[in-house]
Amino acid sequence: MQTVDYWAFIDALRTRLEADPRVVGLVLLGSTADKSHAPDEYSDHDFFVITTPGAQEHFRTHLDWLPDPDSIVLAVRETAHGLKILYTSGHILEFAVFDLAEIGAATVNDFAI
């Protein structure tokens, strides 16, 4: 994925999440956070979505809030909180959805809120 497309995806994700009152925050992780190392053409998108209590499972099972949801070819539930998504382009997302009480179970390296 080209750099401009990589950041356009984040902008689209942020815009979609900001429109939903159940979303409390978005936390970018790893290279997506652009802290110790920037994403390259092979980078996936890693992030957490923080929701109001009770909304988490909706975001884990209904993926229409993601950018370009019609291009999702595979969605795999990897953990109680997290999924891996594959798009027709070959692009990968790795994300988890938590409420504020659950976020303490997560560990991360680089992050940006």
Side-chain angles (χ1 to χ4, degrees):
M1 179 176 276
Q2 298 298 317
T3 302
V4 66
D5 298 325
Y6 189 89
W7 295 115
F9 183 92
I10 292 295
D11 289 341
L13 177 64
R14 183 182 304 117
T15 298
R16 293 169 86 84
L17 292 173
E18 284 175 343
D20 194 313
R22 299 170 296 175
V23 175
V24 176
L26 172 63
V27 182
L28 305 179
L29 307 169
S31 63
T32 307
D34 198 20
K35 298 287 185 183
S36 66
H37 59 287
D40 61 27
E41 62 187 290
Y42 304 106
S43 293
D44 61 357
H45 280 95
D46 300 303
F47 58 92
F48 292 157
V49 175
I50 314 301
T51 69
T52 55
Q56 318 85 293
E57 194 59 26
H58 176 84
F59 283 86
R60 296 174 192 141
T61 57
H62 297 85
L63 303 176
D64 56 343
W65 56 272
L66 289 167
D68 204 15
D70 294 335
S71 294
I72 296 171
V73 293
L74 183 64
V76 177
R77 184 80 172 250
E78 291 194 307
T79 67
H81 304 100
L83 293 93
K84 187 175 284 188
I85 303 297
L86 175 65
Y87 282 94
T88 56
S89 65
H91 189 64
I92 296 172
L93 309 181
E94 293 185 275
F95 68 88
V97 183
F98 301 97
D99 69 9
L100 289 172
E102 296 172 322
I103 192 66
T107 58
V108 299
N109 52 11
D110 290 339
F111 66 93
I113 299 172

